Amino acid sequence: MLQIERHNNPVADMLIGLEYLQSNLWTALPGYIISFNVEAMTCSVQVTISMKVRDEHGNVSSVAIKPLVDCPVYFPSGGGATLTFPVKPGDECLVVFASRCIDSWWQSGGVQEQADLRMHDLSDGFALVGVRSQPRMLPGISTSSTQLRSDNGSAYIDLNPGSGKVRIVAPGGFEVVAPESEFSAKVTIKGLFTYLAGMVGFGTAFSNSTRTDETHTHSGVQTGGGTSGPVV
């Protein structure tokens, strides 16, 4: 017991009351994902900071907070587009607690009356997935570009505002599914180029610096049923 608590001190009583109020006011806590409901876009979270509890004998012990359930998961979105990512058990997150009950809003959207008068309650958490503790820090964070990347850094899309370039690194392959793709300028292919349904185009075509379009001719060829030599 503190010395100030041994006397009839109104300031001490007020401080004790404020401390009690603060102990029941929740703002944000780190945690990790237990499970993810992809249809409801909610998750269950285990908070990773335990509570200190004093029993009737004055003994203090550490108690884990019960798992938080039905926490809406935050995905960056706006204007009809959303960035989604897989949410897996064990992923770290930050749970932010609303100052008022979110039940009616979560169920119906729009502006709703409070279903309950609770405030800063553990029942009203939003999960922001991606907050990381030191043991789970990402390696090789780019300090000059924006990346959408795998955690190990082996695959990524890199947008460099300095050079104006976008680079795609995909060890497992890059696939485009679209009825038509358009490139506005030159295209350079450094590997084997394979096409399966023909190739149509306009302009001059070259192979090994030799024209291969309709203007290409062979010299030393006589009329007959034979074939010419290879293009040189």
Side-chain angles (χ1 to χ4, degrees):
M1 178 179 290
L2 299 176
Q3 174 122 14
I4 196 173
E5 296 175 347
R6 298 177 184 273
H7 306 282
N8 185 17
N9 190 316
V11 175
D13 294 338
M14 182 179 66
L15 292 176
I16 293 173
L18 289 174
E19 184 177 348
Y20 174 78
L21 290 175
Q22 285 183 308
S23 68
N24 288 279
L25 187 150
W26 303 96
T27 54
L29 287 171
Y32 65 84
I33 302 296
I34 298 174
S35 62
F36 174 57
N37 184 330
V38 66
E39 288 82 14
M41 289 177 55
T42 60
C43 65
S44 296
V45 178
Q46 177 59 60
V47 172
T48 51
I49 295 180
S50 58
M51 298 175 59
K52 295 293 185 181
V53 177
R54 189 190 302 271
D55 63 20
E56 65 273 14
H57 303 294
N59 300 316
V60 178
S61 59
S62 182
V63 177
I65 298 175
K66 292 182 179 180
L68 310 178
V69 298
D70 294 331
C71 296
V73 174
Y74 167 72
F75 291 106
S77 64
T82 304
L83 172 64
T84 66
F85 41 81
V87 179
K88 302 294 184 182
D91 286 347
E92 290 182 307
C93 63
L94 179 68
V95 184
V96 179
F97 301 101
S99 62
R100 297 295 188 273
C101 172
I102 66 171
D103 290 354
S104 296
W105 165 84
W106 183 78
Q107 181 178 10
S108 304
V111 179
Q112 303 293 334
E113 295 291 336
Q114 297 180 58
D116 192 282
L117 296 180
R118 62 179 183 259
M119 297 183 289
H120 296 278
D121 194 87
L122 290 173
S123 302
D124 301 308
F126 294 84
L128 282 62
V129 182
V131 177
R132 291 175 177 268
S133 60
Q134 286 295 313
R136 295 174 60 90
M137 287 293 109
L138 292 174
I141 292 291
S142 174
T143 58
S144 60
S145 61
T146 298
Q147 293 187 342
L148 173 62
R149 52 168 281 174
S150 59
D151 282 357
N152 62 12
S154 63
Y156 57 87
I157 300 174
D158 183 286
L159 171 62
N160 191 316
S163 65
K165 287 186 176 181
V166 176
R167 187 183 188 203
I168 300 173
V169 176
F174 181 69
E175 182 176 349
V176 177
V177 180
E180 183 176 350
S181 299
E182 181 176 331
F183 297 86
S184 61
K186 296 188 299 182
V187 176
T188 300
I189 298 173
K190 296 182 178 180
L192 177 66
F193 176 65
T194 303
Y195 60 92
L196 304 177
M199 185 164 56
V200 178
F202 301 93
T204 303
F206 290 88
S207 176
N208 296 326
S209 301
T210 302
R211 295 179 69 113
T212 59
D213 56 16
E214 68 276 3
T215 65
H216 173 77
T217 60
H218 291 263
S219 60
V221 177
Q222 297 180 351
T223 302
T227 58
S228 67
V231 176
V232 295

